[in-house]
């Protein structure tokens, strides 16, 4: 049972007029509750050719390494969100260079985006969200200890692009049966 | 006054533990309600060098021309959503070629993305959402009758790129004081 955010009355699943899918609709105040995908925004932070990774100090995937990223918040742009998350998770100030990857994950209703970013200086530290923050050379990336498949994909795209000599934007999808192979 | 979606109890604005901004938190069942930006996904549909536009048959901006686009839905990828909206608004089947623009609009908590897409054939029609659907040559675009500034920006990027001879991905932000100049 769910309740209306506007008046507290129990809602019903109904296809509203002019719509084509069921929504939570309040029979008392007629509020329609829309639930839409959320964006995760983050960076692939670079410093002198090395990549900054954060060891997660929180669930999910506590103890695994990730690129700094998190839910985009209201009132910010996607790049502002990426830099805010980078600061919150790694203590480092970065500058976004270009959008590098956008990965839809439809079974969890998320879209993950990552910017290539440059650290302003060699200055980062463990935070509430990260037990460890470190720079990794390209041949030091802990592939078996990465937290999320969107992070693995983004790092692979980056290494492949470096080999090709051209950094491009990458779009991809993660399907449910790929999760076990992350 | 807002109410908890999980139990119907009035919520309070509180900064949850480990967070840094106020959320709607239920003092009864402790549910935290997160409100995040929504994605609008759509296409710039091309057919033999012309651009497909839809005249809006619904508010907001009823009677103005738009690129087909709408809220991304759960359980779909961003390109699937773009093609679904294109079909719903114009009756046409298209194929996404590349992500072309991503525009953050922080004061309304939205991110708009548009794909360059090719219509499969010269087949489109008015729909419940569009009173008219038509192909426009590049010098026929109704600039003064466009519905949204993200649409104007995307079309301008496209025309500029054609002049340069190279189609690139564009990221931009629309600020509140730009709206009157759309």
């Amino acid at each position: 049972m769910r309740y209306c955010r506007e008046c507290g009355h129990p809602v019903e699943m109904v296809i509203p007029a002019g719509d084509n899918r069921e929504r939570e609709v309040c029979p008392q105040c007629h509020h329609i509750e829309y639930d839409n995908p959320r964006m995760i925004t983050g960076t692939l932070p670079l410093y002198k050719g090395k990549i900054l990774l954060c060891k997660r100090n929180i669930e999910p995937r506590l103890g695994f390494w990730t690129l700094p990223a998190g839910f985009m918040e209201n009132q910010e742009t996607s790049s502002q969100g990426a830099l805010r998350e980078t600061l919150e998770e790694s203590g480092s100030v970065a500058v976004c260079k270009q959008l590098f990857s956008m990965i839809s994950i439809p079974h969890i209703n998320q879209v993950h985006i990552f910017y290539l970013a440059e650290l302003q200086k060699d200055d980062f530290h463990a935070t509430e969200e990260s037990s460890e923050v470190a720079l990794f050379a390209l041949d030091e990336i802990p592939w078996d200890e990465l937290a999320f498949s969107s992070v693995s994909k983004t790092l692979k795209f980056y290494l492949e692009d470096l080999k090709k000599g051209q950094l491009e934007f990458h779009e991809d999808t993660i399907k449910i049966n790929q999760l076990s192979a992350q």
Side-chain angles (χ1 to χ4, degrees), chain A residues 21-34:
Chain A
R21 63 188 71 202
E22 285 193 336
R23 315 282 180 184
E24 292 178 1
V25 178
C26 179
Q28 179 167 279
C29 77
H30 309 297
H31 171 69
I32 304 169
E33 183 71 24
Y34 293 95

Side-chain angles (χ1 to χ4, degrees), chain A residues 152-169:
Chain A
S152 314
K153 271 183 185 282
T154 297
L155 289 169
K156 276 182 199 163
F157 289 144
Y158 181 66
L159 265 66
E160 287 165 6
D161 278 12
L162 283 185
K163 275 189 195 160
K164 284 186 217 154
Q166 188 166 8
L167 296 169
E168 291 184 336
F169 170 73

Side-chain angles (χ1 to χ4, degrees), chain A residues 3 7 40 48-49 53 66 103 111 121-122 125 138 147-148 151 159 176-177 179:
Chain A
Y3 299 84
C7 76
I40 307 293
K48 295 188 176 172
L53 295 176
T66 188
I103 300 170
V111 177
K121 46 185 175 169
D122 184 8
H125 51 78
L138 301 181
F148 305 110
V151 169
L159 265 66
I176 197 162
N177 57 6
L179 281 188

Side-chain angles (χ1 to χ4, degrees), chain A residues 93-105:
Chain A
V93 174
V95 172
C96 284
K97 294 298 179 181
Q98 65 186 79
L99 185 68
F100 184 65
S101 65
M102 184 169 85
I103 300 170
S104 290
I105 315 181

